[in-house]
Amino acid sequence: MVSNSELRARARQQLGGNLFSNTWLMALLVLLLSSVIVSAGAAAFYVGQIILYGPLTFGASLVFLQLVRGKPDIDIGDLFRGFSAKFGDYLLLGLMQSIFISLWSMLFVIPGIVKAYSYSMAFYIKCDNPDMKWNDCITASRQLMDGHKGQLFCLDLSFIGWYLLGSLAFGIGTLWVAPYHEAARANFYASLVCTNTYVEQ
């Protein structure tokens, strides 16, 4: 498993090396669209967020996973790949992932955080294994993250300074940090899965 500093370096390179490169801006657009659509769905009717979260999370995960694996251009259309014949699979994965984390969080905050990291690779696994059922994706994520939750937690913590710096510009700068963070997480998965043989690709 590579170091977090190397994961961040790879993410910067894959995004084009600077904040205003075409790839970085397209990655930002993907995250903005996903957030706006989910928020609009939640505002329109309560179940809208539930319906949209899973498919759009799958689409965003697919975009960033393709990016870190060498796809040269980001296709905005890939964000909507979750609205396909397998729509129900993505909806269920997002719904059940959220329910499980919420139930663990009802015990105490710490178990909820631990489970959030345990299940954090589920959508990437679904990208690599489109026929895998939602419960198998969650199980595979839990197995994959065994012994690695601490590193991902530290990777996330390493972005706090970037978010604080971005917030100085009326919060707008944080928008540019988000694609960097997501690309680093996708690199974490790509690196992690290479060292494990039970997740099919």
Side-chain angles (χ1 to χ4, degrees):
M1 187 68 187
V2 301
S3 67
N4 285 344
S5 60
E6 175 62 22
L7 294 175
R8 292 192 300 270
R10 290 180 183 180
R12 291 193 300 271
Q13 181 182 20
Q14 292 152 355
L15 287 167
N18 70 81
L19 298 175
F20 298 101
S21 69
N22 183 64
T23 303
W24 204 308
L25 292 175
M26 289 296 288
L28 170 59
L29 181 58
V30 165
L31 294 181
L32 278 177
L33 279 174
S34 178
S35 178
V36 168
I37 294 171
V38 171
S39 297
F45 55 107
Y46 177 74
V47 296
Q49 182 176 8
I50 298 173
I51 293 172
L52 295 170
Y53 170 75
L56 287 173
T57 300
F58 170 81
S61 300
L62 180 63
V63 166
F64 280 91
L65 194 56
Q66 289 175 335
L67 174 68
V68 305
R69 286 178 172 167
K71 185 178 180 180
D73 299 310
I74 289 178
D75 183 353
I76 295 296
D78 286 337
L79 174 62
F80 304 101
R81 290 272 293 275
F83 298 96
S84 65
K86 294 184 180 295
F87 170 81
D89 289 352
Y90 309 132
L91 187 154
L92 272 175
L93 177 55
L95 176 62
M96 299 310 296
Q97 182 189 57
S98 299
I99 289 175
F100 289 162
I101 293 172
S102 297
L103 290 175
W104 280 101
S105 298
M106 289 174 66
L107 298 177
F108 288 104
V109 174
I110 299 300
I113 294 174
V114 171
K115 288 302 177 181
Y117 278 92
S118 291
Y119 305 150
S120 61
M121 301 293 107
F123 275 100
Y124 294 121
I125 292 170
K126 184 65 173 175
C127 291
D128 279 339
N129 305 271
D131 294 326
M132 187 178 283
K133 300 300 183 182
W134 67 265
N135 53 325
D136 293 327
C137 289
I138 289 177
T139 299
S141 177
R142 180 174 52 78
Q143 294 171 342
L144 192 64
M145 289 298 290
D146 187 27
H148 299 283
K149 292 184 286 292
Q151 182 177 355
L152 183 57
F153 179 70
C154 289
L155 178 63
D156 289 340
L157 282 181
S158 72
F159 282 91
I160 289 179
W162 288 99
Y163 282 112
L164 290 175
L165 184 62
S167 68
L168 296 178
F170 304 101
I172 297 175
T174 61
L175 296 177
W176 271 261
V177 181
Y180 180 22
H181 191 179
E182 289 299 321
R185 273 183 154 240
N187 273 288
F188 177 90
Y189 168 78
S191 176
L192 183 59
V193 78
C194 286
T195 64
N196 290 266
T197 58
Y198 59 84
V199 178
E200 297 179 3
Q201 294 188 67

